């Protein structure tokens, strides 16, 4: 445990002028002592007091850092108009250089923060502020098309995106004096808050067309219309995609993410991309990755939660993240010889066995890529069907068939979420639906570790021009409890490209690849591995209406007949990264 040696002095609403003349305001917390200190910068759209409750200033200032917490453009104390993300690269650059010139600063600046505060770091990293020395993005998105607004599989991340737009709009409503007029039109659609944003009522999630939300929020969140008008990846999104800028990044980073985080995919992609493609050797060798077992909004210090959702990963999962970050920051902002460089670059938590361990790369070089094949006698519907997950390719088994009705979608039940309940939950009720195909492996005679990226390859057909297929990896406990581990989806129009969609040929067997991101989990002896296949996960993802039309404007839908093939020709399978 590090020692705290300074008392805290607070400077409120310290102005920073951006290059276009807009003034942003920060609260600055500094040591009550003579001398100069490195600065830790946090930038956010939620209000400076919101993030001060995380305790960054209470931890780092007594240990010899200045902490500056800034309202981003158009938010709370700061001037300007707010559009999420687009101003963060240049505003971030200007704010770093402002922080380096504070009267108490020694000229060295690092950035820290979680969620949007991590996104501001990724977006600023490629602008290369001269005074920036290191960054700690936590639970942060990097590709804002494939993860923030839409899933990598192409669906709108409906369960959090539109409630989040309303959450952000509250401050804009106040700034524009629209509270009495607009808020009464919004409030009836919201349930009571679960975390930092309000989930919708059941009726509000089902509202069609989706574009009506953009109409309602037109004056206070005009960007929502742009999101819905740009479902395909392309130039609109590229300007805020940090995954396209690896070669312009020149700072060490500590990437922090977790297995049930809504942005868990981004941490490993950014780590690998910068290890291999950052501008300098110091930046490439300075990348580090921490992967825990939590959900998105995990506590920083002395966490009371030992898992995510119903999962309890034990005392081993408790981590004082501030202490972990401090070693990294001391190395790069104070040049301390604390053996940070000698540590393995990756530290990850393996669920099931519930242990931390160190690794050298992602994926692990000792991975044994192991396919498990779908099989049945044509009746894999529900967990009581005849679906099997096998080590060998199916013979001439008939396909499994189900009806996907957008008016009766499969309900979301945990996973990598925000706003909706996050983490691991019992999937047996969902697996009782006839529109869920369930493939279960044999009881394991010994532990089986799966660590790394996972994908599902389906050979499927549909009666629709466009539809979705979902996949969920499940750990079935000896008592029958079915714990979701990781899941994903594919919107079929994006099966070949997120930038150039193409509709299906109804009735034609098509190969689909579903990205389940990554995990580290041990299926213990006595457990079984299961894969659930369906066509909806609602309201996490918007319902595919099966028309092939404009998802944001359509108000009608079609029922689709779905078939999943598994035989010697069509080898549908899940590829598991098994660790011997």
């Amino acid at each position: 445990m590090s020692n705290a040696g300074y008392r805290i002095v607070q400077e409120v609403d310290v102005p920073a002028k951006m290059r276009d003349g807009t003034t942003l305001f920060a609260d600055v917390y500094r040591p009550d002592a003579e001398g100069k200190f490195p600065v830790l910068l946090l930038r956010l759209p939620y209000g400076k007091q919101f993030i001060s409750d995380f305790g960054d200033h209470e931890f780092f200032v007594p240990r010899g850092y200045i902490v500056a917490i800034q309202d981003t453009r158009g938010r709370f104390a700061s001037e300007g108009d707010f559009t999420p993300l687009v101003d963060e690269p240049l505003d971030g650059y200007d704010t770093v250089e402002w922080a380096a010139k504070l009267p108490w600063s020694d000229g060295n600046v690092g950035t820290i923060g979680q969620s949007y505060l991590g996104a501001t770091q990724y977006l600023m990293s490629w602008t290369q502020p001269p005074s920036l020395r290191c960054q700690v993005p936590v639970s942060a998105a990097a590709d804002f098309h494939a993860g923030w607004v839409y899933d990598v599989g192409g669906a709108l991340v409906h369960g959090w995106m539109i409630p989040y737009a309303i959450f952000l709009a509250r401050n804009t409503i106040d700034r524009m004096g629209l509270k009495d007029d607009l808020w009464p039109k919004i409030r009836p659609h919201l349930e009571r808050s679960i975390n930092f944003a309000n989930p919708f009522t059941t009726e509000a999630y089902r509202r069609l067309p989706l574009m009506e939300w953009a109409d309602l929020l037109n004056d206070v969140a005009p960007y929502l219309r742009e999101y819905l008008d740009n479902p395909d990846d392309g130039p609109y999104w590229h300007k805020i995609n940090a995954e396209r800028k690896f070669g312009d990044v020149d700072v060490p980073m500590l990437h922090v993410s977790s297995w049930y985080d809504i942005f868990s995919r981004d941490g490993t992609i950014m780590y690998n991309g910068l290890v291999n493609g950052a501008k300098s050797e110091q930046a490439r060798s300075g990348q580090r990755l921490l992967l825990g077992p939590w959900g998105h909004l995990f506590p920083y210090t002395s966490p009371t939660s030992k898992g995510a959702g119903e999962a309890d990963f034990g005392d081993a999962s408790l981590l004082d993240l501030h202490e972990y970050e401090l070693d990294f920051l001391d190395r790069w902002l104070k040049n301390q010889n604390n053996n940070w460089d000698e540590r393995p670059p990756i530290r990850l938590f393996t669920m099931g066995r519930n242990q931390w361990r160190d690794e050298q790369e992602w994926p692990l070089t000792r991975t044994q890529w192991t396919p498990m094949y779908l099989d049945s006698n044509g009746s894999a519907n529900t967990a009581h069907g005849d679906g099997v997950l096998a080590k060998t390719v199916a013979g001439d088994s008939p396909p499994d068939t189900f009806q996907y009705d957008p008016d009766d979608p499969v309900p979301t039940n945990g996973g990598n979420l925000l706003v909706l309940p996050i983490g691991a939950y019992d999937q047996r009720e969902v697996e009782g639906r006839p529109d869920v195909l369930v493939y279960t492996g044999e009881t394991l005679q010994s532990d089986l570790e799966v660590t790394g990226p996972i994908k599902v390859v389906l050979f499927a057909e549909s009666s629709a021009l466009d539809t979705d297929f979902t996949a969920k990896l499940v750990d079935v406990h000896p008592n029958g409890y079915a714990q979701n581990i990781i899941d994903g989806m594919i919107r079929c129009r994006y099966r070949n490209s997120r930038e150039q969609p193409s509709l299906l040929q109804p009735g034609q067997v098509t190969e689909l690849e579903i990205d389940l991101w990554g995990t580290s989990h041990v299926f213990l002896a006595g457990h079984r591995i299961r894969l659930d296949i369906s066509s909806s996960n609602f309201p996490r993802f918007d319902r595919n209406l099966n028309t092939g039309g404009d998802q944001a404007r359509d108000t009608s839908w079609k029922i689709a007949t779905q078939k999943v093939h598994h035989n010697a020709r069509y080898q549908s399978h899940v590829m598991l990264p098994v660790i011997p």
Side-chain angles (χ1 to χ4, degrees):
M1 184 69 68
S2 58
N3 295 320
Y6 298 99
R7 292 191 302 171
I8 301 172
V9 175
Q10 181 183 10
E11 309 282 343
V12 177
D13 284 338
V14 181
K17 185 161 288 191
M18 303 295 101
R19 64 188 63 190
D20 66 351
T22 302
T23 300
L24 311 185
F25 291 90
D27 290 348
V28 177
Y29 302 85
R30 58 181 176 85
D32 185 12
E34 296 294 327
K36 294 179 181 290
F37 304 90
V39 181
L40 299 179
L41 175 63
L42 302 93
R43 305 186 63 251
L44 74 156
Y46 308 132
K48 300 190 295 295
Q49 183 56 46
F50 177 92
I51 203 64
S52 70
D53 294 339
F54 279 50
D56 296 286
H57 65 291
E58 295 173 348
F59 180 86
F60 288 111
V61 176
R63 290 160 177 82
Y65 286 91
I66 299 165
V67 173
I69 304 176
Q70 184 188 69
D71 289 330
T72 54
R73 179 180 293 256
R75 303 298 290 173
F76 295 89
S78 291
E79 298 175 355
D81 297 321
F82 175 64
T83 301
L85 308 170
V86 298
D87 292 305
E88 309 308 351
L90 296 183
D91 284 355
Y93 180 107
D94 293 347
T95 304
V96 165
E97 294 311 301
W98 161 85
K101 297 177 177 65
L102 287 170
W104 321 282
S105 170
D106 68 2
N108 296 299
V109 180
T111 61
I112 60 174
Q114 184 178 26
S115 195
Y116 194 105
L117 292 80
T120 62
Q121 297 179 67
Y122 279 148
L123 288 169
M124 174 242 291
S125 64
W126 72 68
T127 67
Q128 300 180 40
S131 303
L132 183 65
R133 301 288 177 262
C134 62
Q135 298 187 289
V136 186
V138 179
S139 305
D143 179 341
F144 297 96
H145 179 264
W148 184 280
V149 180
Y150 293 90
D151 181 73
V152 66
L156 178 72
V157 190
H158 181 37
W160 97 281
M161 178 43 53
I162 297 178
Y164 179 65
I166 289 175
F167 171 70
L168 290 175
R170 291 181 180 183
N171 177 242
T172 308
I173 289 170
D174 290 342
R175 292 165 73 101
M176 297 179 67
L178 297 175
K179 186 172 183 180
D180 292 340
D181 178 56
L182 184 55
W183 189 247
K185 299 176 184 177
I186 296 174
R187 182 62 185 90
H189 299 298
L190 306 178
E191 295 282 9
R192 295 177 65 85
S193 180
I194 289 179
N195 48 46
F196 79 106
N198 290 77
F200 282 163
T201 63
T202 300
E203 295 77 15
Y205 277 124
R206 294 174 62 87
R207 181 178 184 177
L208 292 175
L210 291 173
M211 192 60 78
E212 283 189 355
W213 294 109
D215 295 337
L216 179 62
L217 301 174
N218 187 66
D219 292 335
V220 293
Y223 56 85
L224 182 58
R225 185 179 307 278
E226 296 178 9
Y227 291 172
L228 296 176
D229 277 336
N230 288 275
D232 309 337
D233 199 4
Y236 175 83
W237 300 102
H238 293 170
K239 62 180 179 289
I240 49 170
N241 187 346
E243 294 174 12
R244 302 174 66 89
K245 300 285 190 177
F246 296 140
D248 295 324
V249 175
D250 200 23
V251 290
M253 291 192 198
L254 169 58
H255 311 262
V256 181
S257 193
S258 44
W259 301 128
Y260 286 102
D261 189 348
I262 191 172
F263 304 130
S264 67
R265 172 182 173 273
D266 301 74
T268 54
I269 289 176
M270 288 299 294
Y271 170 79
N272 274 339
L274 293 172
V275 163
N276 295 303
K279 186 174 183 179
S280 66
E281 171 57 29
Q282 176 174 280
R284 291 190 292 273
S285 63
Q287 302 302 311
R288 296 292 185 270
L289 180 63
L290 176 70
L291 297 166
W294 320 288
H296 181 70
L297 296 173
F298 57 87
Y300 259 76
T301 56
S302 301
T304 56
S305 171
K306 300 177 183 178
E310 295 175 346
D312 184 342
F313 301 117
D315 290 343
S317 66
L318 303 179
L319 176 75
D320 191 329
L321 184 55
H322 278 139
E323 288 282 353
Y324 196 89
E325 292 172 324
L326 182 64
D327 288 342
F328 174 80
L329 296 168
D330 283 348
R331 160 66 180 91
W332 292 108
L333 290 171
K334 296 185 176 180
N335 200 30
Q336 287 189 5
N337 183 16
N338 57 6
N339 298 317
W340 177 266
D341 291 350
E342 285 69 51
R343 296 186 190 184
I346 299 175
R347 187 161 182 77
L348 60 82
F349 188 91
T350 301
M351 302 179 292
R353 196 169 285 146
N354 296 341
Q355 295 175 342
W356 289 99
R357 71 167 190 258
D358 296 324
E359 296 291 350
Q360 296 293 329
E361 71 287 308
W362 181 269
L364 313 187
T365 54
R366 63 186 184 280
T367 301
Q368 295 178 352
W369 298 101
T370 305
M372 296 192 71
Y373 298 93
L374 282 59
D375 198 3
S376 77
N377 288 319
S379 300
N381 314 71
T382 83
H384 303 293
D386 59 16
V388 172
L389 201 59
K391 295 179 181 179
T392 56
V393 176
D396 292 326
S397 58
D400 292 301
T401 303
F402 65 94
Q403 302 291 310
Y404 162 48
D405 182 357
D407 196 37
D408 183 25
V410 176
T412 297
N413 185 26
N416 295 54
L417 307 168
L418 265 175
V419 181
L420 301 166
I422 301 168
Y425 291 90
D426 191 347
Q427 302 301 307
R428 281 179 287 186
E429 182 175 350
V430 170
E431 292 170 344
R433 293 175 55 107
D435 55 353
V436 178
L437 305 180
V438 180
Y439 303 90
T440 307
E442 296 180 348
T443 300
L444 294 170
Q445 301 304 306
S446 58
D447 294 354
L448 186 143
E449 179 183 336
V450 172
T451 295
I454 299 170
K455 71 175 181 178
V456 169
V457 175
L458 281 187
F459 291 89
E461 65 175 282
S462 175
S463 62
L465 289 170
D466 183 41
T467 193
D468 293 350
F469 282 93
T470 64
K472 183 185 300 176
L473 186 67
V474 176
D475 182 343
V476 184
H477 295 220
N479 65 359
Y481 184 92
Q483 175 187 343
N484 54 299
I485 304 302
I486 194 71
D487 64 83
M489 61 79 58
I490 184 67
R491 180 147 292 172
C492 291
R493 69 176 69 185
Y494 298 115
R495 65 196 181 279
N496 299 319
S497 169
R498 294 208 317 267
E499 296 192 34
Q500 297 179 327
S502 57
L503 297 178
L504 292 170
Q505 290 291 327
Q508 179 177 300
V509 180
T510 304
E511 183 175 353
L512 305 170
E513 185 171 304
I514 304 176
D515 184 353
L516 269 60
W517 303 1
T519 193
S520 183
H521 181 80
V522 173
F523 293 85
L524 299 172
H527 291 224
R528 291 176 293 164
I529 303 172
R530 174 175 288 172
L531 187 71
D532 296 344
I533 301 294
S534 191
S535 284
S536 50
N537 183 348
F538 182 79
R540 178 183 178 184
F541 304 122
D542 71 316
R543 298 166 288 171
N544 195 315
L545 302 178
N546 295 333
T547 65
D550 186 338
Q551 281 282 126
R553 291 178 171 82
D554 276 0
T555 57
S556 61
W557 58 86
K558 296 180 179 179
I559 296 174
T561 299
Q562 319 286 56
K563 292 184 180 181
V564 173
H565 295 259
H566 38 70
N567 52 43
R569 179 181 180 186
Y570 298 124
Q571 300 179 12
S572 295
H573 65 274
V574 56
M575 184 64 74
L576 298 178
V578 173
I579 307 302

